[in-house]
Coordinates of all heavy atoms in Angstrom, one line a residue:
R1 N 0.6 4.1 -10.7 CA 0.2 3.3 -9.6 C 0.2 1.8 -10.1 O -0.3 1.5 -11.2 CB -1.2 3.6 -9.1 CG -1.2 5.0 -8.4 CD -2.5 5.2 -7.8 NE -3.6 5.5 -8.7 CZ -3.8 6.7 -9.2 NH1 -3.2 7.7 -8.8 NH2 -4.8 6.8 -10.1
F2 N 0.7 0.9 -9.3 CA 0.7 -0.5 -9.6 C -0.2 -1.2 -8.5 O -0.1 -0.9 -7.2 CB 2.1 -1.2 -9.4 CG 3.0 -0.7 -10.7 CD1 3.8 0.4 -10.5 CD2 3.0 -1.4 -11.9 CE1 4.7 0.8 -11.5 CE2 3.8 -0.9 -12.9 CZ 4.6 0.1 -12.7
P3 N -1.0 -2.3 -8.9 CA -1.7 -3.0 -8.0 C -0.8 -3.7 -6.9 O 0.1 -4.3 -7.3 CB -2.6 -3.9 -8.8 CG -2.6 -3.3 -10.2 CD -1.3 -2.6 -10.2
I4 N -1.1 -3.5 -5.6 CA -0.3 -4.1 -4.6 C -1.3 -4.7 -3.6 O -2.2 -4.2 -3.2 CB 0.6 -3.1 -3.9 CG1 1.5 -2.4 -4.9 CG2 1.6 -3.7 -2.9 CD1 2.3 -1.2 -4.4
M5 N -0.9 -5.9 -3.1 CA -1.7 -6.6 -2.1 C -0.8 -7.7 -1.4 O 0.1 -8.2 -1.9 CB -2.9 -7.2 -2.7 CG -2.6 -8.2 -3.7 SD -4.2 -8.8 -4.6 CE -5.1 -9.6 -3.2
P6 N -1.2 -8.1 -0.2 CA -0.5 -9.3 0.4 C -0.9 -10.5 -0.5 O -2.0 -10.6 -1.1 CB -1.2 -9.4 1.8 CG -2.0 -8.1 2.0 CD -2.2 -7.5 0.7
I7 N 0.1 -11.5 -0.5 CA -0.2 -12.7 -1.3 C -0.7 -13.9 -0.6 O -1.0 -14.9 -1.1 CB 1.2 -13.1 -2.0 CG1 2.2 -13.5 -1.1 CG2 1.7 -11.9 -2.9 CD1 3.4 -14.2 -1.7
A8 N -0.8 -13.7 0.8 CA -1.4 -14.8 1.6 C -2.1 -14.2 2.8 O -2.1 -12.9 3.0 CB -0.3 -15.7 2.1
G9 N -2.8 -15.0 3.5 CA -3.5 -14.6 4.7 C -4.9 -13.7 4.4 O -5.4 -13.2 5.3
L10 N -5.3 -13.8 3.2 CA -6.5 -13.1 2.7 C -7.8 -13.7 3.1 O -8.9 -13.3 2.8 CB -6.4 -12.8 1.2 CG -5.2 -11.9 0.8 CD1 -5.0 -12.0 -0.6 CD2 -5.5 -10.4 1.3
D11 N -7.7 -14.9 3.9 CA -8.9 -15.4 4.4 C -9.3 -14.7 5.7 O -10.3 -14.9 6.3 CB -8.8 -17.0 4.8 CG -7.5 -17.2 5.6 OD1 -6.6 -16.3 5.6 OD2 -7.4 -18.3 6.2
Q12 N -8.4 -13.8 6.1 CA -8.7 -12.9 7.3 C -8.7 -11.4 6.8 O -8.0 -11.0 5.9 CB -7.5 -12.9 8.2 CG -7.4 -14.4 8.8 CD -8.6 -14.8 9.6 OE1 -9.2 -14.0 10.4 NE2 -9.0 -16.0 9.5
E13 N -9.6 -10.6 7.3 CA -9.7 -9.3 6.9 C -8.6 -8.4 7.3 O -8.2 -8.5 8.5 CB -11.0 -8.7 7.3 CG -11.3 -7.2 6.9 CD -12.7 -6.7 7.4 OE1 -13.3 -7.3 8.2 OE2 -13.0 -5.5 7.1
P14 N -7.9 -7.7 6.4 CA -6.8 -6.8 6.8 C -7.5 -5.6 7.7 O -8.5 -5.1 7.3 CB -6.3 -6.2 5.5 CG -6.8 -7.1 4.5 CD -8.1 -7.7 4.9
T15 N -6.8 -5.4 8.8 CA -7.4 -4.4 9.7 C -6.5 -3.1 9.9 O -7.0 -2.2 10.5 CB -7.5 -5.0 11.1 OG1 -6.2 -5.4 11.5 CG2 -8.5 -6.2 11.1
R16 N -5.4 -3.1 9.2 CA -4.5 -1.9 9.3 C -4.3 -1.2 7.9 O -4.6 -1.9 6.9 CB -3.2 -2.3 10.0 CG -3.4 -2.8 11.4 CD -2.1 -2.7 12.2 NE -1.6 -1.4 12.5 CZ -2.1 -0.7 13.5 NH1 -2.9 -1.1 14.3 NH2 -1.6 0.6 13.7
R17 N -3.7 -0.1 8.0 CA -3.4 0.5 6.7 C -2.0 1.0 6.8 O -1.5 1.5 7.8 CB -4.5 1.7 6.4 CG -5.8 1.4 6.3 CD -6.8 2.6 6.2 NE -6.8 3.2 5.0 CZ -6.4 4.4 4.7 NH1 -5.9 5.1 5.6 NH2 -6.4 4.9 3.4
A18 N -1.4 1.0 5.6 CA 0.1 1.4 5.7 C 0.5 1.9 4.3 O -0.2 1.7 3.2 CB 0.9 0.1 5.9
R19 N 1.6 2.7 4.4 CA 2.4 3.0 3.1 C 3.6 2.2 3.2 O 4.1 1.8 4.3 CB 2.6 4.5 3.0 CG 3.6 5.0 4.0 CD 3.6 6.6 3.8 NE 4.8 7.2 4.6 CZ 4.8 7.6 5.8 NH1 3.7 7.3 6.5 NH2 5.9 8.0 6.4
L20 N 4.3 2.1 2.0 CA 5.4 1.2 2.0 C 6.7 2.0 1.7 O 6.8 3.0 0.9 CB 5.3 0.3 0.7 CG 4.0 -0.5 0.7 CD1 3.9 -1.4 -0.6 CD2 3.6 -1.3 1.9
V21 N 7.8 1.6 2.3 CA 9.0 2.3 2.1 C 10.1 1.2 1.7 O 10.0 0.1 2.3 CB 9.6 3.1 3.4 CG1 8.6 4.2 3.7 CG2 9.7 2.2 4.5
D22 N 11.0 1.6 0.8 CA 12.0 0.6 0.4 C 13.3 0.8 1.2 O 13.3 1.5 2.2 CB 12.2 0.7 -1.1 CG 13.0 2.0 -1.4 OD1 13.4 2.8 -0.6 OD2 13.1 2.2 -2.7
I23 N 14.4 0.0 0.9 CA 15.5 0.0 1.6 C 16.6 0.9 1.1 O 17.8 0.8 1.5 CB 16.0 -1.4 1.8 CG1 16.4 -2.1 0.5 CG2 15.1 -2.2 2.7 CD1 17.1 -3.4 0.6
T24 N 16.3 1.7 0.1 CA 17.2 2.7 -0.4 C 17.4 3.9 0.6 O 16.5 4.1 1.4 CB 16.8 3.3 -1.8 OG1 15.7 4.0 -1.6 CG2 16.6 2.2 -2.8
C25 N 18.5 4.5 0.5 CA 18.8 5.7 1.3 C 18.4 6.9 0.5 O 19.0 7.9 0.2 CB 20.3 5.8 1.5 SG 20.9 4.6 2.6
D26 N 17.0 7.0 0.2 CA 16.4 8.0 -0.6 C 14.9 8.3 -0.1 O 14.1 7.3 0.0 CB 16.4 7.8 -2.0 CG 16.2 9.0 -2.9 OD1 15.2 9.6 -2.7 OD2 17.1 9.3 -3.8
S27 N 14.5 9.4 0.2 CA 13.2 9.7 0.7 C 12.2 9.4 -0.4 O 11.0 9.2 -0.1 CB 13.1 11.1 1.2 OG 13.4 12.1 0.1
D28 N 12.6 9.5 -1.6 CA 11.6 9.1 -2.7 C 11.3 7.7 -2.9 O 10.5 7.1 -3.5 CB 12.2 9.5 -4.1 CG 12.0 11.1 -4.3 OD1 11.2 11.7 -3.5 OD2 12.5 11.6 -5.3
G29 N 12.1 6.8 -2.1 CA 11.9 5.4 -2.1 C 10.8 4.9 -1.3 O 10.9 4.2 -0.3
E30 N 9.6 5.4 -1.6 CA 8.4 5.0 -1.0 C 7.2 4.8 -1.9 O 7.2 5.3 -3.0 CB 8.0 5.9 0.2 CG 7.4 7.2 -0.3 CD 6.7 8.0 0.9 OE1 6.6 7.4 1.9 OE2 6.2 9.1 0.6
I31 N 6.1 4.0 -1.5 CA 4.9 3.9 -2.3 C 3.9 4.4 -1.4 O 3.5 3.9 -0.3 CB 4.7 2.5 -2.7 CG1 5.8 2.1 -3.6 CG2 3.4 2.5 -3.5 CD1 5.7 0.7 -4.1
A32 N 3.2 5.6 -1.7 CA 2.1 6.1 -1.0 C 0.8 6.4 -1.8 O 0.0 7.2 -1.5 CB 2.6 7.3 -0.2
K33 N 0.8 5.8 -3.0 CA -0.4 5.9 -3.9 C -0.8 4.5 -4.3 O 0.0 3.8 -4.9 CB 0.0 6.7 -5.1 CG 0.3 8.2 -4.8 CD 0.6 9.0 -6.1 CE 0.9 10.5 -5.8 NZ 1.3 11.2 -7.0
F34 N -2.1 4.2 -4.0 CA -2.5 2.8 -4.3 C -3.8 2.9 -5.1 O -4.5 3.8 -5.1 CB -2.7 2.1 -3.0 CG -1.4 2.0 -2.1 CD1 -1.1 3.0 -1.2 CD2 -0.6 1.0 -2.3 CE1 0.0 3.0 -0.4 CE2 0.7 1.0 -1.5 CZ 0.9 1.9 -0.6
V35 N -4.1 1.8 -5.7 CA -5.2 1.5 -6.6 C -6.4 1.7 -5.9 O -6.7 1.2 -4.8 CB -5.2 0.2 -7.3 CG1 -6.5 -0.1 -8.0 CG2 -4.0 0.1 -8.3
A36 N -7.4 2.6 -6.4 CA -8.6 2.8 -5.8 C -9.7 3.4 -6.8 O -9.3 4.2 -7.6 CB -8.7 3.7 -4.5
P37 N -10.9 3.0 -6.7 CA -11.9 3.7 -7.7 C -12.0 5.2 -7.6 O -12.2 5.8 -8.6 CB -13.2 3.0 -7.3 CG -12.8 1.8 -6.6 CD -11.6 2.1 -5.8
E38 N -11.8 5.7 -6.4 CA -12.0 7.1 -6.2 C -10.7 7.9 -6.5 O -10.6 9.1 -6.4 CB -12.3 7.4 -4.7 CG -11.3 7.0 -3.7 CD -11.5 5.7 -3.3 OE1 -12.2 4.8 -3.9 OE2 -10.8 5.3 -2.2
G39 N -9.7 7.2 -7.0 CA -8.4 7.8 -7.4 C -7.3 7.3 -6.5 O -7.3 6.1 -6.1
A40 N -6.3 8.2 -6.2 CA -5.1 7.7 -5.6 C -5.4 7.4 -4.0 O -5.7 8.4 -3.2 CB -4.0 8.7 -5.7
R41 N -5.4 6.2 -3.6 CA -5.5 6.0 -2.2 C -4.1 6.1 -1.5 O -3.2 5.7 -2.1 CB -6.1 4.5 -1.9 CG -6.3 4.2 -0.5 CD -7.0 2.8 -0.4 NE -8.3 2.9 -1.0 CZ -9.2 1.8 -1.0 NH1 -8.8 0.6 -0.7 NH2 -10.3 1.9 -1.5
R42 N -4.1 6.7 -0.4 CA -2.8 7.1 0.3 C -2.3 6.0 1.1 O -1.2 6.1 1.7 CB -2.9 8.4 1.0 CG -3.3 9.5 0.2 CD -2.3 10.0 -0.9 NE -1.1 10.3 -0.2 CZ 0.0 10.8 -0.9 NH1 -0.1 10.7 -2.2 NH2 1.1 11.2 -0.3
A43 N -3.0 4.9 1.4 CA -2.6 3.8 2.2 C -3.1 2.5 1.7 O -4.1 2.4 1.1 CB -2.9 4.1 3.7
L44 N -2.4 1.4 2.0 CA -2.8 0.1 1.6 C -3.3 -0.8 2.8 O -2.8 -0.7 3.8 CB -1.5 -0.6 1.1 CG -1.7 -2.1 0.6 CD1 -2.5 -2.1 -0.8 CD2 -0.4 -2.7 0.4
E45 N -4.3 -1.5 2.6 CA -4.9 -2.3 3.6 C -4.0 -3.5 3.8 O -3.6 -4.3 2.8 CB -6.3 -2.9 3.3 CG -7.4 -1.7 3.3 CD -7.4 -0.9 2.0 OE1 -6.6 -1.2 1.0 OE2 -8.2 0.0 1.8
V46 N -3.6 -3.7 5.1 CA -2.7 -4.9 5.4 C -3.1 -5.5 6.7 O -4.0 -4.9 7.4 CB -1.1 -4.5 5.5 CG1 -0.7 -3.8 4.2 CG2 -1.0 -3.3 6.6

């Protein structure tokens, strides 16, 4: 797991959650595990 977050707009509270997919033609090309104290969080606040 790598820490991931928006780099701007953080003066506003993120209200949605998302997982990330890349532009490769491969179903493994996604990130669905994010940093969290309770373990692997399955979505990122955006």
Side-chain angles (χ1 to χ4, degrees):
R1 290 191 290 273
F2 291 92
I4 303 173
M5 61 186 294
I7 67 170
L10 293 167
D11 53 342
Q12 301 295 319
E13 182 177 4
T15 57
R16 301 196 67 84
R17 302 173 73 245
R19 70 182 191 275
L20 313 181
V21 295
D22 69 5
I23 58 173
T24 64
C25 297
D26 196 304
S27 58
D28 280 349
E30 75 164 358
I31 299 177
K33 294 180 180 179
F34 301 92
V35 170
E38 65 273 14
R41 182 174 296 179
R42 302 291 299 179
L44 179 72
E45 292 82 0
V46 296

